[in-house]
Amino acid sequence: MQGFNKYYPPDFDPDKHGSLNSYRGKHALGDRARKLDQGILITRFELPFNIWCGHCEAHIGMGVRYNAEKRKVGSYYSTPIYAFRCKCHLCGGWFEIQTDPKSTRYVVTEGARQKQEDWDPEENGGFAVHDTDKAATPTDPLAALEKTTSAQTHMTQVQMPRIEELQSFSEQRSADPYTLSVKVRKRFREQKKVDRALQRADEELKGRYGLPESMSLVRDDEESRKAAKEEWERARRQEELRDKESLKKRRIGAAVGTMPVSLASKSRISKQHSSSSSPVISSLRARILENTARHSSLKPHR
């Protein structure tokens, strides 16, 4: 029995046995390490893709787990390549899957075949995701440019002097931090005195004219005078435009007020003209009726 508790038998000797596992004659991994002398470790392995068993031709879905025999079969540079040997749960046949560090995937080596469900980008006008062939890859223009003589000349004549200049400037600024701190604090104290004097002047002005304390006063300097003058000029131009518009409206109103008188006079003239011309129209109508009656009496009867 493997010892998992903290009970130590009376005949247990740490110098002789070392641990409870060695005292019991068991490995720390238990039955999983029964083939450890052959370089095989029993581990739980989950199928990374769908496969068909090569012995019974049965389909085994992705995600099915097996107690696989894990062993090292090689290396890709410094990355080990492991093989997982599993027994089919349907027929008892063995199949093996290995890791492929070069392509970062799993490969079925024997006893089964993988169901091809991968999308091939090369067949669809794309590029391979894992392309380790350096000869087939296009050359990087930036990498090629770095190796040219002009790039090296630019680095030695422009970049390196600039880096050295920045480094010397940084060393100069950080060489004497006490002196720099004294200068900064002195400037801060002087500015603080000026700010306090301006604050006292503002408070005195607010108290003299009864202004609210929340009001912020503008500093009396050249920039403030210039801004105030520009604001005054802008307001004056707006006032002139408003005066011109109001004058124009008054003129239009005066012109509109005289229009009804002229219209009334025109209507009276038209009425007089119609009354004076009414006898002429009546005589013309009588003459037309007389001619029509005469013409109808002269027509022959059939």
Side-chain angles (χ1 to χ4, degrees), residues 255-269:
V256 171
T258 58
M259 287 180 65
V261 178
S262 60
L263 290 175
S265 60
K266 287 182 180 180
S267 61
R268 286 196 300 271
I269 293 171

Side-chain angles (χ1 to χ4, degrees), residues 66-83:
Y66 293 96
N67 292 330
E69 297 180 356
K70 176 183 177 182
R71 71 183 190 278
K72 182 179 178 181
V73 295
S75 297
Y76 176 73
Y77 293 102
S78 60
T79 304
I81 299 175
Y82 294 105

Side-chain angles (χ1 to χ4, degrees), residues 44-47 60-68 86-87 89:
R44 196 70 172 165
F45 180 73
E46 182 177 337
L47 291 182
I60 305 175
M62 179 178 61
V64 178
R65 297 179 181 179
Y66 293 96
N67 292 330
C86 309
K87 181 184 287 188
H89 64 285

Side-chain angles (χ1 to χ4, degrees), residues 69-260:
E69 297 180 356
K70 176 183 177 182
R71 71 183 190 278
K72 182 179 178 181
V73 295
S75 297
Y76 176 73
Y77 293 102
S78 60
T79 304
I81 299 175
Y82 294 105
F84 299 90
R85 192 164 181 264
C86 309
K87 181 184 287 188
C88 178
H89 64 285
L90 300 174
C91 65
W94 291 88
F95 60 89
E96 186 174 303
I97 298 176
Q98 293 184 5
T99 59
D100 186 8
K102 182 178 180 180
S103 302
T104 63
R105 56 178 301 177
Y106 290 93
V107 180
V108 180
T109 56
E110 62 174 333
R113 67 181 187 275
Q114 179 184 355
K115 183 179 179 182
Q116 297 297 333
E117 296 178 327
D118 295 337
W119 181 76
D120 191 359
E122 295 181 353
E123 295 180 357
N124 296 274
F127 296 95
V129 178
H130 303 286
D131 193 357
T132 57
D133 190 3
K134 296 183 179 180
T137 57
T139 57
D140 187 6
L142 295 178
L145 181 62
E146 290 177 356
K147 298 180 181 179
T148 58
T149 307
S150 59
Q152 293 179 359
T153 305
H154 179 74
M155 181 181 64
T156 55
Q157 294 183 359
V158 178
Q159 295 180 355
M160 292 181 64
R162 179 58 179 167
I163 293 174
E164 293 176 357
E165 182 181 354
L166 293 174
Q167 186 176 1
S168 62
F169 179 75
S170 177
E171 292 176 354
Q172 182 181 0
R173 292 293 300 270
S174 60
D176 191 2
Y178 175 75
T179 305
L180 296 176
S181 177
V182 168
K183 291 181 180 179
V184 171
R185 293 177 65 83
K186 182 179 179 181
R187 187 182 306 170
F188 174 74
R189 285 193 295 269
E190 293 175 355
Q191 185 65 31
K192 191 174 182 180
K193 290 180 182 179
V194 174
D195 294 341
R196 285 183 177 178
L198 293 175
Q199 185 178 2
R200 285 195 298 268
D202 292 346
E203 291 177 355
E204 183 180 356
L205 185 62
K206 291 178 183 179
R208 184 187 306 170
Y209 294 101
L211 300 176
E213 296 182 357
S214 59
M215 179 182 292
S216 60
L217 301 179
V218 181
R219 302 303 178 191
D220 189 9
D221 52 4
E222 188 65 28
E223 185 177 356
S224 301
R225 295 192 192 96
K226 184 178 179 180
K229 186 176 181 181
E230 292 177 355
E231 183 67 21
W232 183 81
E233 292 289 343
R234 186 178 63 82
R236 187 173 63 83
R237 288 194 296 269
Q238 291 181 356
E239 186 66 25
E240 291 177 355
L241 290 175
R242 284 196 294 268
D243 293 342
K244 290 181 180 179
E245 290 179 359
S246 61
L247 180 60
K248 186 177 180 180
K249 289 180 180 179
R250 286 197 298 270
R251 290 177 179 176
I252 293 173
V256 171
T258 58
M259 287 180 65

